[in-house]
Every structure is written in structure tokens, then in C-alpha cells.
Amino acid sequence: MASWRRTPSAPRLQGGLMYALEIRCRPADRERLIAELWERGTLGILEVGPGLIAYFASESEALTAAQGLAAGSFRVSPVPENDWAVRWREGWRPFELGAKFFLAPEWDREPAPSGRIRLSLRPGRACGTGLHPCTRLCLELLEEHVTPGLVVVDVGTGSGLLAAAAALLGAGRTIACDLADEAIAEARERFQREAPSVLLFQGSLRAVRPQTADLVLANISAAAVVQLAPEIKRVAKPGGVAVLSGFPARAQKTVLAALGTVGFRCRQARELEGWQALVCYTP
């Protein structure tokens, strides 16, 4: 039986084609390969029998990913976009996450269970659907660390999913920023629909005043966290918390070293499917 692995985004394709990378692998290698495929930019992964099928927007991306994997035999083949879109959409079902969230694709009308916060998923727009391991980790950690009245700053908000979650959890003020035009448009639409109190701007963390945030949220790459570590520290209040993710577990030492240099200490490290989330604080 085929099963879908969590899909971070759906493609916007040209020419009506996308490319399937089919990999035969040992069961013992499956989790490692899945983590590496996410890191190499796959749009979705289908688990089929003894192997995996990873989808890419171009043939060159699929071949580059395949050549960088220590895997068994593989092949790359074009597939019609319509076939992918139907199969991909059929793989989406509403699901509960943590103790408080209920995530559902925007076309689904199933009501949220009592006591849960509904977040809509719009695959294929900006980034962050709630299904990628890093997004899941961040949502779970927000449940634990957002309390009523806190000021939250979301750096690189993408689709705005995590900022909306923070606001709906009761943050007193939520500020979200991103550099990308598409992300800003997508986040603005989400906030109007789900969390109108979120303050959104296009720009970097450098535009935020010092010691603004009780909690800084950054679901970005390891390189971006390292680069922004001084700014994250600058905008965090004394005793503030940073929830950081978006990078594989093997990058933990590099990220912690950069954070330690500016004065953060690690309170918690959580891993899911080879991906990492850290909770750090300022003494």
C-alpha cells in the first residue's frame, strides 16, 4: 500500500510536467533518505512498497537530488501535473496536532473538535503547511511556550501559519515579517481570515526595536539562524525565549555555537524525522 509522507508544499509548474524520482531502498535506510530528500527540496514523498517516490519541479533538481543520495537504484521520469495534483490532494486529510491544533486543507469543511484551534492549510502557496517536521515541531513548542499576553515575533513567516497559531494561542501581540513578496501576500490573506490581530511587515528583523519580544520564532535554515543570531538576541527581552527550527539535526552544534556566542542558552532540543527544533533563552 502507498502512503503519503508529510508534504511541505505543492508545485507551481510550467509545461504541465513534474518529475518523479523513484528510489528502491532498504527499510533501514528509509527514514534517512526521507530526511535527505526534504533537505534537497522535494515537493512531496510517496512511500510505495520497498521504495520511495519523491517529486520535483524539474528534471535537473530530481537528478541532482538522486546523485547526492547514498541510495540504491533509482530512476527519474516525467509525470503529468494533473496526475500529481489529484494524487497529491487525495493525500491530504484533516489531522490533530499536539493538544490544541486541528489542521485541515482549506477545501475541507470538517469542523474542529471541541477545544482545538483550526488552522487552514493552503498547499502550494509560499511555504509552511503544518506537515513538514519542522513546522510540526514549532507548533508543538508554541503550545508549550505561548501564554496569554506574550509578545511574539515570527521571523520569515512564510505562509503565516505559525504566527497565526501564536496569536490564536493567546499571544498579546504577534509581529510577523518576511522578505518575499509571495510570502507577504499569502500571510496577509491568512491573517485577514484567521488572525487579524497579527502585525505584518515586509522586511527583516533589523526593523524590530530592541527588547521587543518575549518569544522569537524562526523556522528558517541553519545558515539563516547563524546569521541572524545577534538580531534575535537584540529583539528578545531579558529572559526571553527563542524557538528555532528549519534545519536538520546534524546542524545543531553549529546553530548552538552561534547562539551561545551572543548569549543564548539551550533549554530544550527536539527532533522529528531527522529535523531539529531548539528552545533557547536569554539569562
Side-chain angles (χ1 to χ4, degrees):
M1 175 180 291
S3 63
W4 280 99
R5 193 51 84 101
R6 303 177 181 94
T7 309
S9 62
R12 289 184 171 184
L13 305 174
Q14 295 180 353
L17 290 176
M18 65 182 310
Y19 291 84
L21 168 60
E22 299 178 53
I23 303 170
R24 294 187 64 84
C25 62
R26 299 179 305 166
D29 293 333
R30 184 175 295 229
E31 291 299 323
R32 173 184 61 81
L33 290 172
I34 287 169
E36 291 187 17
L37 286 164
W38 285 132
E39 189 175 357
R40 293 173 189 277
T42 183
L43 298 166
I45 300 172
L46 185 64
E47 298 182 55
V48 184
L52 303 168
I53 302 176
Y55 292 91
F56 292 85
S58 72
E59 184 177 23
S60 62
E61 290 175 349
L63 288 171
T64 299
Q67 291 164 1
L69 296 172
S73 61
F74 68 86
R75 71 173 182 174
V76 174
S77 57
V79 294
E81 178 184 356
N82 289 341
D83 290 355
W84 150 259
V86 170
R87 199 174 193 188
W88 178 85
R89 181 163 170 158
E90 288 175 348
W92 281 75
R93 296 290 183 271
F95 66 98
E96 297 179 3
L97 178 63
K100 298 181 180 178
F101 292 114
F102 178 76
L103 290 93
E106 62 178 359
W107 57 82
D108 188 276
R109 296 295 178 262
E110 182 179 342
S114 177
R116 287 190 175 267
I117 298 168
R118 184 187 181 95
L119 292 170
S120 64
L121 306 176
R122 179 178 291 184
R125 298 287 299 277
C127 58
T129 65
L131 297 182
H132 189 277
C134 291
T135 311
R136 293 171 66 93
L137 287 170
C138 286
L139 286 170
E140 291 171 355
L141 290 170
L142 286 176
E143 278 191 357
E144 298 173 17
H145 293 281
V146 174
T147 55
L150 291 187
V151 177
V152 176
V153 174
D154 181 18
V155 186
T157 194
S159 71
L161 178 71
L162 296 177
L168 293 169
L169 284 168
R173 188 181 185 195
T174 304
I175 303 167
C177 64
D178 206 296
L179 297 174
D181 293 341
E182 184 183 8
I184 291 295
E186 172 69 3
R188 180 178 292 114
E189 186 175 338
R190 175 185 292 279
F191 298 150
Q192 290 172 350
R193 186 175 65 249
E194 294 181 352
S197 65
V198 176
L199 301 175
L200 174 68
F201 72 91
Q202 186 165 10
S204 73
L205 197 58
R206 295 177 179 85
V208 180
R209 290 182 300 181
Q211 297 186 8
T212 294
D214 298 291
L215 187 151
V216 181
L217 171 63
N219 186 22
I220 50 182
S221 68
V225 172
V226 169
Q227 182 181 4
L228 289 174
E231 290 299 311
I232 294 172
K233 176 63 164 60
R234 182 184 65 82
V235 303
K237 293 179 181 179
V241 172
V243 175
L244 308 167
S245 191
F247 43 86
R250 64 175 177 271
Q252 183 191 85
K253 289 184 179 180
T254 300
V255 172
L256 286 178
L259 293 168
T261 298
V262 299
F264 275 106
R265 297 179 183 175
C266 182
R267 176 180 295 170
Q268 185 179 5
R270 190 171 294 180
E271 184 176 333
L272 179 64
E273 296 177 11
W275 295 87
Q276 184 83 72
L278 302 172
V279 178
C280 300
Y281 70 100
T282 56

